[in-house]
Amino acid sequence: MAELLITGGAGFIGSHSCLMLLEAGHNLVVLDNFDNSSPESLKRVLELAGPSAADRLQVVEGDIRSAGDLERAFEAAPAGRPITAVVHFAGLKAVGESVREPLRYWDVNLCGSRQLLESMQAHGCRSLVFSSSCTVYGLPEQTPISESAAIQPINPYGHSKAAVEQLLADLAASEAGWRIARLRYFNPVGAHPSGRIGEDPRGIPNNLFPFVSQVAVGRRDCLQVFGGDWPTPDGSGIRDYIHVMDLAEGHQAALDVLLAEPPQLLSLNLGSGQGHSVLEVVRAFEVASGRSVPHTIVERRDGDAASTVADPRLAAKRLGWRTRRCLEEMCRDGWTWQQANPEGYGR
Ligand code: NAD
Ligand code: UD1
């Protein structure tokens, strides 16, 4: 059992991970400014975790860029039980927005991470799991993508993630004792099978899965499939979708390894190793929901690759972790959430 600080714990991936970490018996302090989430997600996490978790989750509303807010979060841990590790989800993640507002992205993602690391250092806490992304690989030269592939992001969001990865490497090299996992997620989707927590994008979704589920539920008319002429079997783009519950398990495994092993810097892909095309996702969602998902093929989207799939072997070797849930479960659980919460948390 450990005392953990979870930044961005109210968000999509953070809320599912908080639930799993509470179920594993850890004590959590969540620091979130609710910029892209609602406190309701954490209420539901507590409801799902049951009565034994009620006094093991402290929520601090605050910003990772604020030394004072971080201080409040570190101080929220129970007396005599200081924070031993941080899981750092907080950040901004929309590629298009990052192109329009690079200063904001660099500020939250890089300056926020720098401030967090300074506070960790001040508190003698040197264990960190960081949410990175396969976006750091940019347009990959080959797929499946292994961790040794070139880091060559192609947009401000990706640049800011790659910069934090570099900062973490510099820090680990500067001082003994850091235990750091840089986890490069592929395409997280789905929801907790209860349908009580899930992904709640603001406005028009940028990503495929939330768009498809909003079409299925009748919130949007038609999905635009970005490109039907990719060099793939059915002409639509291929991605490595990972169930958010598998991703949460990956975080738990990474924490266990970091806390058990000598200090180290890990860089790991979290993906399934299996690719699915846009049209396959549409069909699987139609089956799971029993609804039709009208779609039309349009021009390719700028900055897209034909196919990005993880080589997940290093994560399996280092963490003893692999994905267990298939595309059908991603669609089923995503649909359960969407149907029960057609307007998300109602932010
Ligand atoms: P999310 O937006 O649902 O969650 C991020 C959380 O961080 C939100 O609760 C938000 O309110 C909070 N936050 C944002 N700025 C903050 C700040 N300055 N101070 C405190 N809290 C702040 O996103 P998510 O999908 O859960 O992603 C979590 C992390 O994983 C992000 O760092 C993201 O870049 C990374 N990631 C996500 C994906 C994906 O497809 N969802 C893929 C790869 C990497
Ligand atoms: C996108 C981001 C990536 C980020 C990831 C997770 C881009 C170029 N990349 O990845 O940096 O890490 O989200 O947040 O934005 N698609 C459609 N119609 C849609 C939406 C998507 O056809 O309305 C297609 C895309 O062309 C792609 C696939 O669906 O082939 C998946 O798209 P998306 O969910 O946006 O994820 P990525 O592009 O992989």
Side-chain angles (χ1 to χ4, degrees), residues 88 113 128-132 161 164-165 168 181-183 185:
H88 179 29
S113 299
L128 176 77
V129 176
F130 171 61
S131 296
S132 189
K161 286 288 176 188
V164 177
E165 284 211 9
L168 293 172
R182 305 183 297 187
L183 302 182
Y185 315 155

Side-chain angles (χ1 to χ4, degrees), residues 95 133 135 187 207-208 224-226 239 241 278 301 304:
V95 173
S133 166
T135 197
N187 290 63
N207 299 116
L208 178 67
Q224 295 192 323
V225 177
F226 297 141
R239 294 292 182 272
Y241 298 98
V278 174
R301 178 173 67 179
D304 267 352

Side-chain angles (χ1 to χ4, degrees), residues 200-281:
D200 181 20
R202 218 193 280 273
I204 301 171
N206 301 304
N207 299 116
L208 178 67
F209 245 81
F211 205 105
V212 167
S213 53
Q214 291 190 6
V215 173
V217 86
R219 241 174 104 173
R220 307 197 181 274
D221 295 335
C222 182
L223 168 76
Q224 295 192 323
V225 177
F226 297 141
D229 56 353
W230 293 103
T232 60
D234 66 17
S236 66
I238 289 181
R239 294 292 182 272
D240 184 337
Y241 298 98
I242 172 171
H243 196 299
V244 66
M245 298 299 288
D246 279 328
L247 195 57
E249 285 174 5
H251 286 78
Q252 208 174 342
L255 263 177
D256 289 348
V257 165
L258 281 186
L259 296 177
E261 292 186 1
Q264 62 185 319
L265 173 68
L266 284 169
S267 308
L268 298 172
N269 288 340
L270 295 190
S272 71
Q274 233 211 309
H276 292 288
S277 73
V278 174
L279 295 175
E280 278 181 278
V281 168

Side-chain angles (χ1 to χ4, degrees), residues 162-194:
V164 177
E165 284 211 9
Q166 185 61 53
L167 171 56
L168 293 172
D170 292 347
L171 190 61
S174 74
E175 185 186 23
W178 283 93
R179 298 160 194 267
I180 296 175
R182 305 183 297 187
L183 302 182
R184 298 173 184 155
Y185 315 155
F186 277 65
N187 290 63
V189 299
H192 187 269
S194 66

